[in-house]
Amino acid sequence: MLVLGVVRNLGQAHGYQVRRELLAWRADAWAHVAPASIYQALRTLTKHGLVEEVGTESGGGPERTVYRLAPDGETEFFHLVRTAVSDPTDTLDELSAAFGFLHLLPRGEVATLLDHRVRALWAELVRVEPPAEAGAPVLPDGIKPAQVGALMQLAAVRLRAEIDWSLEVAGRIRDGTFIFSEGAASKA
């Protein structure tokens, strides 16, 4: 997603430009992007028809292959962004990457994607932490080994924190805190 998004933003780029852009975003710290993985991603994306080679560039050093986003790459890029925002089973790295591109989607759509995320998180929370009935403990008695109950509590705390965060960010999106390029995104 990051490589597709950077190539899309730049119009066309070679691997070193993609790397430089991602370093400017500090993606090496939050998305664990290694330089070699960028070049591998460009080769893989080319093989799958998501980016296209448009030529080579030399500036005193080795020749660099220049890429641009293919039409299928545009579709896949927006699919990846939408999925990372709406589906909490994606990793936080994917969510982090998607947040760098949210401004490309319509504001209302992003808020709705976060609403979907919240519903999925609530469903998972109910599975991890069933509602207490008439004073019954939240965690079932007799969990063996006992420390599993503590692990379930941790999972519930994380889910509640992500629900709260998602609701807060959706509210900030709806109230105009963040700037969006309304209507600029592909409706793939």
Side-chain angles (χ1 to χ4, degrees):
M1 178 192 330
L2 283 171
V3 173
L4 287 171
V6 169
V7 171
R8 183 187 186 279
N9 284 352
L10 296 175
Q12 59 183 38
H14 52 70
Y16 183 72
Q17 288 170 313
V18 172
R19 179 175 180 259
R20 198 173 52 219
E21 183 72 11
L22 290 175
L23 287 174
W25 295 9
R26 300 213 14 139
D28 55 323
W30 53 265
H32 314 292
V33 175
S37 67
I38 294 167
Y39 297 98
Q40 179 59 42
L42 286 166
R43 285 189 294 276
T44 301
L45 293 168
T46 302
K47 184 172 116 181
H48 292 295
L50 302 177
V51 297
E52 304 167 329
E53 293 182 13
V54 293
T56 57
E57 184 179 287
S58 61
E63 280 195 350
R64 296 179 174 141
T65 304
V66 179
Y67 302 89
R68 73 172 168 227
L69 206 58
D72 285 349
E74 178 92 358
T75 301
E76 181 66 10
F77 167 72
F78 281 106
H79 169 75
L80 291 170
V81 170
R82 289 177 174 109
T83 301
V85 175
S86 66
D87 185 355
T89 61
D90 278 2
T91 69
L92 286 179
D93 286 349
E94 290 163 326
L95 179 63
S96 298
F99 259 67
F101 301 110
L102 286 187
H103 65 283
L104 300 173
L105 296 172
R107 176 184 310 280
E109 181 182 359
V110 175
T112 299
L113 291 169
L114 284 167
D115 292 342
H116 289 290
R117 182 180 200 86
V118 167
R119 282 193 292 280
L121 290 165
W122 273 114
E124 184 63 16
L125 181 60
V126 168
R127 192 180 71 73
V128 169
E129 181 184 82
E133 297 177 24
V138 172
L139 294 174
D141 288 335
I143 291 179
K144 306 272 188 219
Q147 64 269 22
V148 172
L151 189 58
M152 290 176 67
Q153 287 174 324
L154 174 61
V157 167
R158 285 182 171 175
L159 287 164
R160 278 192 237 102
E162 190 170 342
I163 288 167
D164 291 345
W165 176 86
S166 297
L167 290 169
E168 191 266 332
V169 170
R172 291 171 66 195
I173 287 168
R174 286 185 172 98
D175 75 13
T177 300
F178 302 116
I179 297 171
F180 285 81
S181 304
E182 295 298 334
S186 165
K187 284 302 214 174

